[in-house]
Each structure stands twice: as C-alpha cells, then as structure tokens.
C-alpha cells in the first residue's frame, strides 16, 4: 500500500517547516544531558530522550550532528541525563541557546538522574542517535514533568 493510499491527507514531500510542525505535535519530556571532559562541564537540552530497553538498561537521545557541544561531550565516554520538572522551564529558556553558560547556576531537583556510559552512536540524517547503558539511577517524586509540545515548554496540567 502506498503512503497516499494509507492516508490520502499526507503529502509525499513535506518541506522543513511542515515537518518541524508535525514533529512538534508529539509531546515529549525535556532533559538536560551533561558530561565532564577534563574537569570541564558540558551540557545539552534535549527533547529526544527516551528509554530503549530494560534488559540491558538502555536509553537514547539525539543531538544534532552539527553540535559542537556533543562533539566535546562524547570524548567523556559517559553522560548523565537529568529529567526536568515543570519548575525548570526558566532554566531551560536560559541555557538552551547556543553559547549560553549552562552551568552558571546549578540545576537542582531533577525528577530523575540517569548515569550512563556510551553504548553506541549511529548517524541518522542531520542527528546522531546516542545509546547509553544506564549504570546508576536516582529518582525523586512530587513534581510535574516539563513537557515540550508545539514548540513551547509546558507542564502536564496546562
């Protein structure tokens, strides 16, 4: 069955703006991925974080292939994923732009922190798919998650 027969409302060749809009219709959580290289901290805000496998415990996220920050971080061979709460929206707005000082103020009270070692990295178009093996976990209850939907940050009660 062709794509147009499966869903006649889909176009065969979406432009970048339409594709970005379609991707934005899928709500995701927001995470801060960090690594230290030579005692220098580096970090990325991602909305592509996901659990991959329970056995073995694997997670993934997808940084841009153009990201200078990820090129530096991968040298560590390990990273931490900080799952962000709705209360972290201001933090994300301050640290997400390229060149921002992501460590000027400490990140506190993440909903979860997963310590990982890099298991694999796969080129996928203009991004990498980074797979990490979880080697440590800390979980905190009580707060609402930070959600990214339609290009905006939201809590789950909005």
């Amino acid at each position: 069955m062709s794509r147009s027969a499966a869903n006649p409302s889909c176009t065969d060749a979406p432009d970048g703006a339409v594709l970005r809009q379609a991707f934005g219709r899928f709500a995701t959580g927001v995470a801060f991925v960090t690594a230290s290289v030579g005692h220098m901290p580096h970090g990325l805000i991602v909305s592509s974080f996901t659990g991959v496998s329970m056995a073995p415990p694997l997670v993934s996220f997808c940084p841009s292939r153009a990201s200078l920050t990820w090129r530096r971080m991968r040298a560590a061979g390990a990273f931490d994923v900080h799952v962000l709460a709705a209360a972290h929206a201001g933090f994300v707005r301050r640290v997400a732009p390229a060149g921002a000082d992501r460590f000027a103020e400490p990140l506190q009270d993440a909903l979860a922190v997963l310590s990982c070692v890099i298991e694999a990295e796969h080129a996928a178009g203009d991004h990498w798919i980074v797979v990490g093996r979880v080697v440590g976990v800390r979980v905190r209850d009580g707060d609402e998650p930070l959600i990214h939907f339609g290009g905006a940050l939201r809590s789950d009660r909005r």
Side-chain angles (χ1 to χ4, degrees):
M1 178 182 298
S2 73
R3 280 183 285 174
S4 56
N7 188 344
S9 65
C10 289
T11 62
D12 286 338
D15 67 26
V18 172
L19 190 56
R20 181 176 296 278
Q21 186 178 23
F23 287 170
R25 293 298 180 254
F26 184 72
T28 66
V30 182
F32 185 41
V33 178
T34 63
S36 217
V37 179
H39 302 292
M40 176 68 84
H42 300 282
L44 295 168
I45 297 293
V46 300
S47 60
S48 58
F49 171 73
T50 190
V52 173
S53 171
M54 295 293 289
L58 300 174
V59 298
S60 72
F61 70 97
C62 300
S64 170
R65 289 185 69 182
S67 172
L68 179 60
T69 301
W70 173 245
R71 279 186 263 165
R72 292 175 178 150
M73 290 172 66
R74 76 162 48 102
F79 57 89
D80 290 335
V81 178
H82 306 260
V83 178
L84 302 180
H88 293 117
F91 171 81
V92 170
R93 287 184 186 98
R94 285 188 299 279
V95 306
D101 183 350
R102 296 181 175 121
F103 298 92
E105 60 184 82
L107 175 65
Q108 297 179 4
D109 300 328
L111 294 176
V113 179
L114 298 96
S115 294
C116 305
V117 294
I118 297 174
E119 180 85 4
E121 184 178 25
H122 308 281
D126 59 0
H127 280 67
W128 295 104
I129 300 171
V130 178
V131 179
R133 180 181 293 262
V134 180
V135 295
V137 178
R138 184 178 75 235
V139 177
R140 188 176 65 77
D141 291 329
D143 289 333
E144 297 178 17
L146 183 58
I147 305 294
H148 187 259
F149 178 77
L153 299 173
R154 306 168 186 222
S155 75
D156 66 350
R157 293 189 187 202
R158 188 168 192 199

